[in-house]
Amino acid sequence: MTEMLFAVAIVIFAALGLGLGLILGRGPALTSCSAAACLPEGRCADCPLRRQIEDQVQR
């Protein structure tokens, strides 16, 4: 029972932390694909978002 309460508390604190970041203007949390766009090598080679951007550039 204690482990369950501890797990719920961790999830609640994580949600509160994300919400606090949004309220303070930090912006939404980045997914791994969104964060990879900031790297110098760009997105993964098989990323559908990368292919979509490359198709728009070629047009």
Side-chain angles (χ1 to χ4, degrees):
M1 183 68 172
T2 305
E3 294 89 4
M4 203 60 166
L5 291 174
F6 188 64
V8 169
I10 288 174
V11 171
I12 289 173
F13 282 127
L16 287 173
L18 288 171
L20 185 62
L22 284 172
I23 290 171
L24 296 177
R26 184 163 185 259
L30 296 176
T31 62
S32 59
C33 193
S34 299
C38 299
L39 297 174
E41 56 270 358
R43 297 184 188 272
C44 302
D46 59 341
C47 179
L49 294 175
R50 179 179 181 168
R51 279 186 255 136
Q52 180 182 13
I53 292 170
E54 288 174 351
D55 288 343
Q56 289 176 354
V57 170
Q58 290 176 357
R59 291 182 184 174

